[in-house]
Amino acid sequence: MDNGTVNGVIIILLIIAFVGLTLWAYSKRRKPDFDEAANLPFADEDEPPNRDQSASREADSRHDKGEKNT
């Protein structure tokens, strides 16, 4: 086999893989799973954000004292 034939076979395999992946991603059977995954960032809205208040207070006190942030 020469180099052109190998390149042609690889391109055909990649096209088939692309078409297969596209059909899989847009199939109606996968839609509920993708919809659930799309809503995951909004699932835990009940918990308050975890913010470190002591770090911001320490920076404010340094600023008031005239110290530099390092």
Side-chain angles (χ1 to χ4, degrees):
M1 265 199 249
D2 64 338
N3 199 16
T5 305
V6 172
N7 286 343
V9 170
I10 290 173
I11 288 174
I12 290 172
L13 290 175
L14 289 174
I15 290 172
I16 291 171
F18 175 77
V19 170
L21 184 63
T22 303
L23 291 175
W24 172 79
Y26 287 101
S27 69
K28 291 186 180 192
R29 290 187 300 170
R30 301 292 302 167
K31 185 167 175 33
D33 295 333
F34 288 139
D35 287 341
E36 181 181 350
N39 289 321
L40 280 176
F42 307 111
D44 294 333
E45 289 185 10
D46 297 339
E47 296 180 20
N50 186 9
R51 295 189 179 145
D52 188 8
Q53 295 294 332
S54 62
S56 64
R57 281 189 229 133
E58 184 178 324
D60 289 341
S61 67
R62 283 185 190 165
H63 181 65
D64 293 339
K65 293 179 184 177
E67 296 177 12
K68 291 185 177 181
N69 260 348
T70 55

